[in-house]
Amino acid sequence: MMKKIILFTLSLSFITCDKNSNETITSSYIPPLSLPIIPKYNFSRNGYNSVDVLKCSLVKEPLDRLYSNRLVSAQITNEREYKDAFNLFNNGLYGIKPKEQIATSPLHLPNKEKITQDIENLINTMATISGYYSDSSIKRRKAQIGQTGFVGINISDPNRVYVDEKGLAIAEAFNYSIMGAIYLDKILNYHLDDYFFDNQELIKKHQNVVLPAGRNYTELEHHWDLAYGYYDFWKKLAQPEGIPLLKDSEKKIFNAFVQGRIELGRYRYEDMKIHIRIIREELSKVAIARAINFLLSENTRSNLEEDSGSDAFASISKGYGLIYSLIFTRKANGETYISYEEIKNILQKLQQERGLWNKNKLLADENTEGSLKNIASELAKSFNISINDIKR
């Protein structure tokens, strides 16, 4: 006797139809917990995919290569390597130039030149650490106060990091600064900006289903999808991992992206904007929580107290990059949380005097200027949160 089995994924039940008896039997079988249904961001038109986020990967890939091939290993020791590093940054790999993607939003265009220079300075600092401007042998020396080099047990230490004279791990500072200067700015301040979703010409094209040549999406859909594509690079940071403030952030952000795209398809623009506000608030929360957590985690504190301190320097430097990224956060109502100048001032406090080498200062109480707790508290106030909201 032949039977057909159809799985309805929404109800998680099996329905068996017997051709001879026309009898329908519903089973209460539930798939094992080890095989959960994972929701995906999928949208289509006329049976074909209408989501194209390839550009996001084309922007990210050369930056990842710059980070892993040149910065992490301090591999900018000669003219060829120097040119390769800046070619990846300036020109990318596929015709999309990462440098041009920095601070493209209307909010941050006025500071685009300064922000770009900040990122370029990090690459040039790594060239200095690598010995490009002097002797490549200096990258093999152990860093100390006022001297660049590696931090770790020895040159063979797989956890070693290369730092500047203040102890800043440049590769990590670069990587996490890019998280804000390109990806976060693209999400919150460019692709999900009110400018596009209040634009009557774009709204009319969307409602009339006017598609760019050879594409299966409207311009408004594409802006929304690209914002989601860049969020994919932040998704890991949105996972709570024991941080109280981030308990439901990942779920809220994902649901807002999905539901907002649905409302856009229904032409319910005000309902869609509710989800934009959720994304702004929750993703900004992710940025501040992660920045502070890198500074104040138990791992950071315990590693600071060790002789090598490589893990602490790397962690604080990631925090440094995320603090820089806070420039690009945005309140639900569209206002900014903190200015470029304020962030630069805070980062200067972290680097003053002996920088990360001054462990006593870093581990001091909240009232000591430049301590990790002092910097974290100052940032928390700007975002109207408490440090206790972030402690694991």
Side-chain angles (χ1 to χ4, degrees):
M1 184 182 299
M2 184 179 293
K3 296 182 179 180
K4 292 183 180 179
I5 299 176
I6 304 172
L7 173 65
F8 286 87
T9 56
L10 292 180
S11 63
L12 298 179
S13 64
F14 283 111
I15 298 178
T16 303
C17 300
D18 190 314
K19 284 186 177 180
N20 295 331
S21 65
N22 291 322
E23 181 182 9
T24 299
I25 303 172
T26 302
S27 168
S28 60
Y29 172 78
I30 298 176
L33 292 177
S34 59
L35 296 173
I37 296 175
I38 302 173
K40 294 183 178 180
Y41 184 91
N42 289 330
F43 294 92
S44 61
R45 173 175 286 107
N46 299 324
Y48 295 95
N49 176 41
S50 64
V51 177
D52 179 3
V53 295
L54 177 62
K55 180 179 179 180
C56 306
S57 297
L58 300 185
V59 172
K60 188 174 187 287
E61 186 176 335
L63 293 168
D64 286 349
R65 189 175 298 187
L66 170 58
Y67 167 75
S68 59
N69 291 0
R70 297 291 167 217
L71 302 185
V72 170
S73 55
Q75 201 62 37
I76 310 179
T77 60
N78 55 48
E79 189 66 21
R80 179 186 64 81
E81 292 171 349
Y82 183 85
K83 286 182 177 179
D84 179 61
F86 271 97
N87 185 56
L88 288 168
F89 178 68
N90 292 333
N91 301 313
L93 296 169
Y94 309 103
I96 297 177
K97 301 177 179 181
K99 179 178 178 178
E100 293 182 357
Q101 305 304 313
I102 290 175
T104 56
S105 68
L107 270 177
H108 297 292
L109 272 176
N111 286 324
K112 181 180 177 66
E113 186 175 344
K114 290 188 288 187
I115 292 167
T116 304
Q117 188 63 60
D118 290 338
I119 303 297
E120 288 181 336
N121 287 345
L122 290 172
I123 302 174
N124 271 312
T125 299
M126 186 52 79
T128 299
I129 295 170
S130 302
Y132 170 72
Y133 294 108
S134 53
D135 182 350
S136 61
S137 65
I138 69 170
K139 67 175 281 188
R140 295 193 293 272
R141 69 189 181 188
K142 203 162 187 177
Q144 57 186 1
I145 300 171
Q147 177 179 288
T148 66
F150 74 87
V151 177
I153 298 172
N154 53 51
I155 190 63
S156 300
D157 185 350
N159 296 317
R160 72 185 183 279
V161 294
Y162 291 92
V163 302
D164 67 6
E165 68 279 2
K166 295 296 182 73
L168 186 69
I170 298 301
E172 303 308 325
F174 170 88
N175 203 35
Y176 282 85
S177 294
I178 288 294
M179 292 288 289
I182 296 182
Y183 311 143
L184 194 60
D185 187 49
K186 291 286 191 185
I187 301 165
L188 301 184
N189 307 314
Y190 186 75
H191 290 300
L192 294 187
D193 190 67
D194 292 334
Y195 169 80
F196 293 116
F197 297 99
D198 287 337
N199 187 304
Q200 292 304 308
E201 181 179 351
L202 292 181
I203 290 174
K204 184 177 181 180
K205 286 183 177 180
H206 175 66
Q207 293 183 173
N208 291 330
V209 196
V210 176
L211 311 180
R215 306 300 178 184
N216 196 34
Y217 49 72
T218 67
E219 291 180 63
L220 288 184
E221 288 170 340
H222 195 44
H223 279 296
W224 191 277
D225 294 338
L226 286 174
Y228 179 77
Y230 285 112
Y231 166 64
D232 197 51
F233 308 145
W234 273 86
K235 195 178 295 181
K236 185 176 180 180
L237 291 176
Q239 296 172 7
E241 295 180 344
I243 300 174
L245 190 66
L246 301 185
K247 181 181 178 183
D248 296 314
S249 288
E250 183 184 18
K251 180 170 65 175
K252 287 179 180 178
I253 294 170
F254 176 79
N255 288 343
F257 268 114
V258 172
Q259 194 61 41
R261 180 63 148 80
I262 291 172
E263 300 302 349
L264 179 62
R266 294 170 173 169
Y267 314 128
R268 297 177 177 174
Y269 303 109
E270 292 307 312
D271 290 338
M272 176 203 65
K273 288 180 181 179
I274 291 173
H275 299 289
I276 290 179
R277 292 194 285 272
I278 291 171
I279 294 167
R280 286 172 180 169
E281 182 176 3
E282 292 299 322
L283 192 47
S284 295
K285 189 191 297 182
V286 168
I288 182 62
R290 285 296 182 176
I292 291 177
N293 185 64
F294 274 130
L295 300 185
L296 299 185
S297 72
E298 287 300 318
N299 285 339
T300 300
R301 173 172 285 275
S302 61
N303 285 318
L304 262 179
E305 295 168 350
E306 295 180 2
D307 290 337
S308 66
S310 57
D311 289 339
F313 281 22
S315 180
I316 296 171
S317 299
K318 291 174 183 177
Y320 178 102
L322 279 184
I323 291 171
Y324 192 86
S325 290
L326 296 178
I327 296 168
F328 307 95
T329 55
R330 198 169 187 182
K331 296 179 182 179
N333 64 7
E335 297 176 359
T336 57
Y337 278 99
I338 196 163
S339 70
Y340 173 86
E341 289 74 21
E342 288 172 312
I343 287 295
K344 292 289 284 186
N345 181 56
I346 289 171
L347 292 176
Q348 180 59 38
K349 291 178 183 178
L350 188 60
Q351 292 182 297
Q352 65 189 6
E353 300 172 1
R354 291 176 289 155
L356 305 192
W357 294 105
N358 193 344
K359 296 182 182 181
N360 289 334
K361 182 199 73 173
L362 293 181
L363 294 171
D365 62 27
E366 186 178 328
N367 297 318
T368 302
E369 182 173 285
S371 74
L372 297 180
K373 286 184 178 179
N374 174 262
I375 289 170
S377 296
E378 186 172 347
L379 290 169
K381 289 177 184 176
S382 297
F383 284 76
N384 196 31
I385 61 173
S386 166
I387 289 178
N388 291 327
D389 296 329
I390 296 164
K391 289 182 178 178
R392 295 175 188 264

